[in-house]
Amino acid sequence: ATGEPVVAEDSGQEIDALDGLPGVESARYGGADATYPRKFALIYDALRAKNALGSPARFICAVALVSGRRVLFETEGVIEGRIAGEPKGEGGFGYDPIFYYPPFAATLAEAGDRKSTVSHRGRAFRALRQFLTSQYPEP
């Protein structure tokens, strides 16, 4: 519609014990108006019902560069972890307080600036930047 190249991004959290939920519905999980504490409560209730607290989980970010109807580049950034025993931390946003990242021995909400070095969005957009610089090197 713009006649220009466009970048699109979508991210979500997948929880193995919940068959990949909330997944692409992460932003709307629990309803359009659900707060993150409400979303967390729903997730923990579902995990307790399956005796699956601490389930493996991941954040995934999909990025695509398109021009007209042509996909010029697409990639995924992924960070693997598990669901924390309880929400912890004040930093980050979204599902960060319930996502425990073992290499940091902390949730992403507790990770501070370290999060940017491993985040799913960071990985995806670094790959996009590498593609763009390889296709369009600076003069």
Side-chain angles (χ1 to χ4, degrees), residues 36-61:
Y36 279 100
R38 175 72 182 134
K39 295 171 196 250
F40 299 166
L42 292 170
I43 287 169
Y44 281 111
D45 288 348
L47 291 173
R48 282 187 201 96
K50 292 184 172 218
N51 196 27
L53 287 175
S55 174
R58 69 207 45 78
F59 280 117
I60 299 177
C61 174

Side-chain angles (χ1 to χ4, degrees), residues 44 48 53-54 82-87 98 100:
Y44 281 111
R48 282 187 201 96
L53 287 175
R82 63 181 170 84
I83 300 302
E86 63 183 7
I98 67 168
Y100 182 82

Side-chain angles (χ1 to χ4, degrees), residues 56-107:
R58 69 207 45 78
F59 280 117
I60 299 177
C61 174
V63 170
L65 172 65
V66 299
S67 181
R69 295 187 181 273
R70 289 186 29 227
V71 176
L72 303 175
F73 178 78
E74 60 185 327
T75 191
E76 281 187 351
V78 179
I79 180 173
E80 297 281 346
R82 63 181 170 84
I83 300 302
E86 63 183 7
K88 289 185 180 176
E90 300 295 323
F93 59 91
Y95 291 92
D96 288 356
I98 67 168
F99 188 82
Y100 182 82
Y101 185 59
F104 290 168
T107 67

Side-chain angles (χ1 to χ4, degrees), residues 17-41:
L18 302 182
D19 300 322
L21 290 176
V24 297
E25 296 293 325
S26 291
R28 294 166 297 285
Y29 190 70
D33 296 328
T35 63
Y36 279 100
R38 175 72 182 134
K39 295 171 196 250
F40 299 166

